[in-house]
Amino acid sequence: MAETPNESHQKPWNIYSLHASDPDAKLVNHRKYSTEQVGEIDDLMAALAQLRAVEQQLSEASQRYMRLGQTDMKALHFLIAAKNTGTIATAGALAGHLKISTASTTKLLDRLEANGHILRSPHPKDRRALAISITDKTHAAAVETIGRQQAKRFNAAARLTSQQRDIVTHFLQDMAEEITLRDGQWDSLEE
């Protein structure tokens, strides 16, 4: 099918554009902004979507490589950070970080230990707790693959000026605040 002259010079269709998602301005009063401003915001939303898609692909690839689920990978990341900072990781701290129950944490740790990813040892200061650590083999594998790929984010941030980093940081924090679900916000929709 041949393209019309106008189609051949347009940007690719952006599913995240205001025109595509809110043409009647029911969600966002975008009519008060110029076409150029709306286009810039559309490009920004498309870039965020691209980042989310790449992060999802990387997450899925890392899970396949490590043969682990998403929660398992988050647990290993927590244990790597604990090791790198000299923090003694416990099951309770891990449960809190992952926002899962103690029963789920026990199952997770049993699975990771059975597959040679973690070690449990007596806590050096608390006789009631166990210290959880990542094995050297799993740590090395994670760092050399997923960690090395994830660390490339630093390069993108380092290419920005200090002022640009400040702007991006505030923008991302502001966007996170804007879209954070509040307690009970959608409860009435479930009924």
Side-chain angles (χ1 to χ4, degrees):
M1 182 167 136
E3 291 185 78
T4 63
N6 288 342
E7 288 176 333
S8 64
H9 298 290
Q10 292 176 351
K11 290 182 179 179
W13 181 54
N14 178 2
I15 189 173
Y16 301 99
S17 72
L18 279 172
H19 175 72
S21 59
D22 189 25
D24 300 322
K26 292 179 180 177
L27 302 172
V28 176
N29 182 8
H30 52 82
R31 292 190 174 109
K32 66 181 183 177
Y33 299 101
S34 71
T35 302
E36 183 179 322
Q37 289 172 314
V38 170
E40 291 168 354
I41 294 168
D42 286 349
D43 289 346
L44 181 57
M45 295 302 134
L48 285 170
Q50 179 185 11
L51 176 61
R52 284 192 308 270
V54 170
E55 286 178 325
Q56 183 64 36
Q57 289 171 350
L58 182 56
S59 176
E60 291 168 0
S62 65
Q63 289 174 48
R64 282 191 308 272
Y65 174 78
M66 298 291 291
R67 295 184 179 97
L68 295 169
Q70 184 176 17
T71 303
D72 299 352
M73 293 297 292
K74 286 180 180 180
L76 293 180
H77 184 229
F78 178 85
L79 295 172
I80 289 169
K83 180 178 181 174
N84 289 344
T85 59
T87 304
I88 299 170
T90 63
L94 187 58
H97 171 72
L98 297 174
K99 296 179 175 66
I100 61 176
S101 69
T102 54
S104 294
T105 303
T106 299
K107 288 178 185 177
L108 167 78
L109 293 174
D110 289 346
R111 186 172 58 249
L112 291 174
E113 186 175 44
N115 289 307
H117 296 297
I118 66 155
L119 300 170
R120 296 179 196 180
S121 58
H123 193 288
K125 297 177 183 170
D126 183 353
R127 292 185 356 198
R128 297 167 295 151
L130 291 173
I132 313 299
S133 59
I134 190 167
T135 62
D136 290 341
K137 181 179 178 183
T138 297
H139 183 229
V143 167
E144 287 305 315
T145 56
I146 302 129
R148 191 162 301 286
Q149 193 67 24
Q150 290 281 8
K152 292 179 182 178
R153 294 171 189 234
F154 183 89
N155 298 336
R159 285 190 287 272
L160 299 174
T161 66
S162 181
Q163 183 181 14
Q164 289 170 328
R165 282 191 290 274
D166 189 51
I167 290 168
V168 171
T169 299
H170 288 308
F171 164 72
L172 293 173
Q173 290 170 338
D174 187 41
M175 181 169 278
E177 179 63 27
E178 283 284 336
I179 67 173
T180 296
L181 286 175
R182 305 296 179 228
D183 287 342
Q185 183 173 344
W186 290 350
D187 289 351
S188 64
L189 299 175
E190 294 176 6
E191 298 171 358

